[in-house]
Amino acid sequence: MTFTGAPAESDLQTVIARLRVRIGQEEAHYGGELVDGARLLRLFGDLVTEITIRTDRDEGLLSAYSEVRFTAPVRPGDYIEATARLTRSTKLRRFVALEARKVITSRDTSTSAAQVLDEPIVVCTANAVTVVPKPQRPGSPDSSRGPDEKHAVSIGGRQ
């Protein structure tokens, strides 16, 4: 598949990234063995990066999270499944909806007991915006770069 600029609107519903991780004991930071929300945002960051790699063959640059909502606690031993879906695309920006769900929960009855949940529990939702490099025109000086060379993205006057 060849990508030139922003993906077509018809492709937006098909660009999805998923991952599943087990939360380790070392990630408990608060009373009650709670895991900090930043752990979920790191998962979201990885998913947004995958989306831009799939759409633009570039990692892009995460520029904003919005509407972040933590809706249920996460504890060590929980399995979290996170999903990202491209919802909108412009020439230089990709808009991504994010959701993390607990699919397996640790149990209080034993340090090694766990339970597969019949219905996953949404633990966090957010939206993200990522910036991608400006598409290169054929024959432009930068179009001769190889596929492994990085492209600079200018944001707010900084590179």
Side-chain angles (χ1 to χ4, degrees):
M1 182 178 259
T2 302
F3 296 101
T4 55
E9 289 295 320
S10 61
D11 293 339
L12 291 180
Q13 297 304 320
T14 62
V15 183
I16 294 174
R18 286 190 175 90
L19 57 83
R20 184 180 286 189
V21 297
R22 180 181 182 274
I23 304 297
Q25 185 62 43
E26 71 281 359
E27 297 182 88
H29 289 287
Y30 300 106
E33 293 288 296
L34 292 176
V35 174
D36 64 350
R39 178 64 171 105
L40 299 174
L41 294 180
R42 285 196 315 270
L43 295 177
F44 287 169
D46 288 342
L47 289 168
V48 170
T49 299
E50 181 178 342
I51 291 285
T52 56
I53 289 170
R54 289 181 179 279
T55 59
D56 299 274
R57 287 188 262 154
D58 190 277
E59 292 183 357
L61 180 62
L62 180 63
S63 65
Y65 284 119
S66 64
E67 301 179 43
V68 177
R69 289 188 174 76
F70 299 101
T71 55
V74 175
R75 294 187 170 85
D78 290 346
Y79 280 75
I80 302 298
E81 183 175 87
T83 304
R85 182 176 51 85
L86 183 65
T87 59
R88 193 172 131 224
S89 183
T90 66
K91 187 174 183 178
L92 297 178
R93 287 182 174 75
R94 306 295 174 257
F95 298 82
V96 181
L98 301 152
E99 182 177 78
R101 295 174 169 213
K102 186 185 311 187
V103 294
I104 296 175
T105 187
S106 58
R107 307 257 324 238
D108 295 334
T109 58
S110 158
T111 56
S112 62
Q115 174 185 356
V116 176
L117 298 170
D118 291 333
E119 289 292 322
I121 298 169
V122 175
V123 296
C124 186
T125 59
N127 293 308
V129 178
T130 187
V131 179
V132 296
K134 185 176 180 181
Q136 297 299 314
R137 287 178 278 161
S140 69
D142 289 338
S143 66
S144 62
R145 288 190 210 187
D148 295 332
E149 295 182 53
K150 295 280 183 187
H151 299 329
V153 176
S154 177
I155 296 179
R158 293 185 285 164
Q159 288 191 342

